[in-house]
């Protein structure tokens, strides 16, 4: 069973930037899809960005042009670069992978989450 550990969250002012990292316990990024979800208080968890094993990407309309998902060459870490942050981006951000069944959109492992707060 793979483990995912997110880091990089914190408090940032509107218009600022943060870079989230997700470290996997195995070299999985070349054989599975990776994604970032977020959940704000009282709201459903929503997909923010995803990157396939073949490096194609997909973004929610609300973050397109501001966020960038990427992964390292070693195949252990996926990143989410967040620019021009808005208060509405405030949420717990979760890293996920579809390693178990390897079907697009069918994520089956999750990290513990990292808090992102955008406030002046």
């Amino acid at each position: 069973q793979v483990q995912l550990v997110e880091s990089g969250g914190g408090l940032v002012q509107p218009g600022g930037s943060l870079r989230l990292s997700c470290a996997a316990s195995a070299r999985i990024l070349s054989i599975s899809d990776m994604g970032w979800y977020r959940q704000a208080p009282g709201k459903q968890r929503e997909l923010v960005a995803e990157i396939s094993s073949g490096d194609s990407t997909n973004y929610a309309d609300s973050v397109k042009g501001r966020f960038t998902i990427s992964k390292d060459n070693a195949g252990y870490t996926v990143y989410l670069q967040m620019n021009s942050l808005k208060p509405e981006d405030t949420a717990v951000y979760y890293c996920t992978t579809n390693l178990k069944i390897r079907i697009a959109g069918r994520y089956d492992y999750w990290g513990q989450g990292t808090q992102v707060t955008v406030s002046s």
Side-chain angles (χ1 to χ4, degrees):
Q1 181 175 338
V2 69
Q3 295 181 354
L4 305 173
V5 180
E6 303 98 331
S7 62
L11 175 65
V12 65
Q13 293 183 332
S17 298
L18 283 174
R19 189 191 193 197
L20 305 184
S21 298
C22 173
S25 60
R27 194 175 183 179
I28 66 171
L29 274 62
S30 63
I31 59 173
S32 63
D33 301 338
M34 306 293 295
W36 286 96
Y37 279 71
R38 68 185 181 188
Q39 187 168 26
K43 296 184 178 180
Q44 295 291 106
R45 188 175 298 188
E46 64 174 346
L47 177 67
V48 177
E50 55 188 352
I51 185 166
S52 72
S53 60
D55 296 333
S56 63
T57 58
N58 182 55
Y59 299 92
D61 288 341
S62 60
V63 307
K64 192 173 297 182
R66 299 188 297 122
F67 291 10
T68 303
I69 188 170
S70 62
K71 52 189 179 182
D72 68 351
N73 293 331
Y76 286 96
T77 307
V78 62
Y79 304 98
L80 184 67
Q81 178 66 46
M82 305 186 295
N83 299 325
S84 302
L85 283 162
K86 305 174 181 179
E88 63 200 64
D89 295 318
T90 296
V92 177
Y93 284 71
Y94 297 90
C95 176
T96 187
T97 177
N98 68 349
L99 179 65
K100 187 175 182 179
I101 61 175
R102 303 184 193 181
I103 297 175
R106 298 284 300 278
Y107 295 106
D108 42 42
Y109 291 100
W110 298 83
Q112 82 288 353
T114 185
Q115 176 70 48
V116 172
T117 302
V118 185
S119 176
S120 60

